């Protein structure tokens, strides 16, 4: 006996056949996304969708891991024990975020070793923001408020990404990033209420990190080749320029609480658009950093490669231990 669902499916097939409509895997895939149903690793997906996700998720994971370096540089120099403990927790969070994201990417059929190799060889990119140096303690505050703030603006919509493992990983990541942003703002707020030297240090950090943070959202929409397709597949929910504008609007208000200024003489409220206007972005600087010519590109990559090489004995020991346990279990089972 046919079930109710079977009858519906048969009827639908006959209707589509009468109208000579061809049901393709691509159409079923897009219909699934349009209905806000998550795509899971074992579901059929276009190869370009899979490759787009591998590129985006692995780049995101690399950014979390490389992003530990500029802040880790200040763990031993934090001004007091409270700040040190908070910064250690934050850097540890970033390591966890990288692991969540590498795991999500692995569900698409790429190995973690392959992703590491792409990073170390320079084939894979990571966020350009982490190729700038952290010169003072105030930079840690600027990174928390601006860099993590930009990350949250970009990543919260990813909690609704069409790919299930990516969306679920982002839920926890965003919760932790919100803590990172608050601690950064609190550092700047403390400095802004301190001595004149501390206020100057905070302002200097904002002056240096503001524009790189604006660039974090990627190239402008008409120069972003992946945006249109990623929007159609609902990997992304907003364009680069839309997210950038939201970020500027939020920061332009929050900086008033700090009593500091953003380094943009063109920044002003536009009553007609309901947004803040802001000055031109130095795209030449952006592309120079992306292409490997930033202040710290070589240093960051060399540090990651050295960590990989120095950790070889740990990976070998873990593999040997796993093989030993597997052998012991086999003997006991026999």
């Amino acid at each position: 006996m046919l079930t109710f669902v079977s009858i519906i499916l048969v009827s639908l097939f006959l209707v589509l056949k009468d109208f000579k409509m061809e049901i393709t895997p691509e159409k079923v895939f897009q219909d699934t996304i349009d209905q806000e149903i998550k795509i899971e690793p074992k579901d059929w997906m276009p190869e370009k969708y899979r490759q787009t996700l591998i590129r985006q998720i692995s780049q995101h994971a690399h950014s979390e891991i490389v992003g530990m370096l500029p802040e880790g540089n200040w763990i031993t120099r934090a001004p007091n024990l409270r700040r040190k403990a908070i910064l250690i927790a934050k850097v540890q969070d970033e390591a966890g975020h990288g692991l969540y994201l590498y795991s999500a990417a692995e569900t698409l059929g790429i190995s973690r070793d392959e992703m590491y190799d792409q990073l170390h060889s320079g084939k894979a990119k990571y966020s350009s923001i982490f190729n700038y140096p952290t010169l003072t303690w105030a930079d840690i505050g600027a990174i928390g408020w601006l860099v993590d703030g930009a990350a949250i603006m970009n990543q919260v919509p990813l909690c609704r990404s069409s790919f299930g493992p990516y969306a679920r990983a982002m839920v926890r990541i965003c919760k932790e990033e919100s803590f990172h942003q608050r601690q950064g703002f609190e550092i700047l707020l403390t400095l802004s209420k301190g001595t004149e030297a501390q206020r100057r240090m905070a302002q200097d950090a904002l002056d240096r990190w503001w524009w790189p943070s604006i660039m974090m959202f990627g190239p402008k929409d008409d120069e972003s080749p992946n945006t249109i397709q990623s929007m159609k597949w609902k990997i992304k929910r907003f364009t680069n320029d839309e997210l950038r504008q939201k970020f500027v609007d939020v920061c332009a208000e929050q900086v008033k609480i700090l009593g500091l200024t953003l380094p943009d003489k063109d920044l002003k409220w536009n009553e007609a658009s309901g947004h803040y206007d802001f000055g031109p972005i130095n795209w030449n600087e952006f592309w120079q950093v992306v292409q490997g010519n930033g202040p710290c590109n070589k240093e960051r990559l060399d540090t990651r490669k050295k960590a990989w090489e120095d950790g070889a004995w740990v990976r070998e020991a873990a593999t040997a231990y796993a093989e030993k346990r597997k052998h012991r279990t086999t003997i006991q089972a026999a």
Side-chain angles (χ1 to χ4, degrees), residues 40-64:
E40 299 298 339
K42 292 185 179 181
D43 294 341
W44 184 91
M45 64 184 71
E47 181 60 20
K48 188 176 179 182
Y49 178 83
R50 189 179 77 87
Q51 290 298 333
T52 298
L53 281 169
I54 288 175
R55 176 189 58 78
Q56 180 170 328
I57 299 174
S58 64
Q59 178 177 310
H60 191 166
H62 298 328
S63 299
E64 297 285 357

Side-chain angles (χ1 to χ4, degrees), residues 94-110:
E94 306 295 3
H97 298 173
L99 294 178
Y100 304 153
L101 293 165
Y102 283 131
S103 295
E106 284 178 313
T107 68
L108 292 160
I110 186 172

Side-chain angles (χ1 to χ4, degrees), residues 43-224:
D43 294 341
W44 184 91
M45 64 184 71
E47 181 60 20
K48 188 176 179 182
Y49 178 83
R50 189 179 77 87
Q51 290 298 333
T52 298
L53 281 169
I54 288 175
R55 176 189 58 78
Q56 180 170 328
I57 299 174
S58 64
Q59 178 177 310
H60 191 166
H62 298 328
S63 299
E64 297 285 357
I65 298 301
V66 175
M68 298 165 62
L69 299 177
E71 293 182 293
N73 184 42
W74 277 89
I75 288 175
T76 58
R77 296 182 287 167
N80 55 51
L81 187 59
R82 174 176 174 268
R83 295 294 188 191
K84 188 188 297 287
I86 292 172
L87 188 56
I88 289 173
K90 184 179 184 234
V91 173
Q92 180 177 280
D93 283 348
E94 306 295 3
H97 298 173
L99 294 178
Y100 304 153
L101 293 165
Y102 283 131
S103 295
E106 284 178 313
T107 68
L108 292 160
I110 186 172
S111 71
R112 195 166 302 194
D113 283 351
E114 187 177 353
M115 286 186 277
Y116 287 150
D117 183 64
Q118 290 175 354
L119 172 63
H120 298 155
S121 67
K123 180 181 178 181
K125 304 297 183 184
Y126 56 87
S127 180
S128 61
I129 193 73
F130 299 119
N131 290 312
Y132 291 86
T134 45
L135 304 179
T136 69
W137 172 251
D139 288 36
I140 304 304
I143 289 175
W145 180 43
L146 296 177
V147 176
D148 293 320
I152 291 171
M153 194 68 68
N154 187 50
Q155 292 172 10
V156 167
L158 293 176
C159 295
R160 297 187 291 122
S161 171
S162 60
F163 186 57
Y166 193 22
R168 290 189 287 273
M170 291 313 306
V171 172
R172 177 167 179 174
I173 290 174
C174 286
K175 288 179 180 178
E176 293 178 348
E177 290 291 359
S178 65
F179 151 72
H180 299 169
Q181 183 190 30
R182 288 196 296 273
Q183 68 88 32
F185 189 84
E186 196 258 344
I187 288 174
L188 290 177
L189 185 62
T190 300
L191 291 173
S192 71
K193 294 180 178 180
T195 65
E196 185 57 33
Q198 288 173 323
R199 283 183 56 81
R200 285 199 303 270
M201 183 169 64
Q203 184 61 60
D204 174 66
L206 288 190
D207 291 345
R208 286 182 289 105
W209 286 94
W210 173 247
W211 289 108
S213 298
I214 292 293
M215 297 175 197
M216 270 185 72
F217 296 96
K220 50 189 176 181
D221 291 346
D222 57 5
E223 294 181 4
S224 180

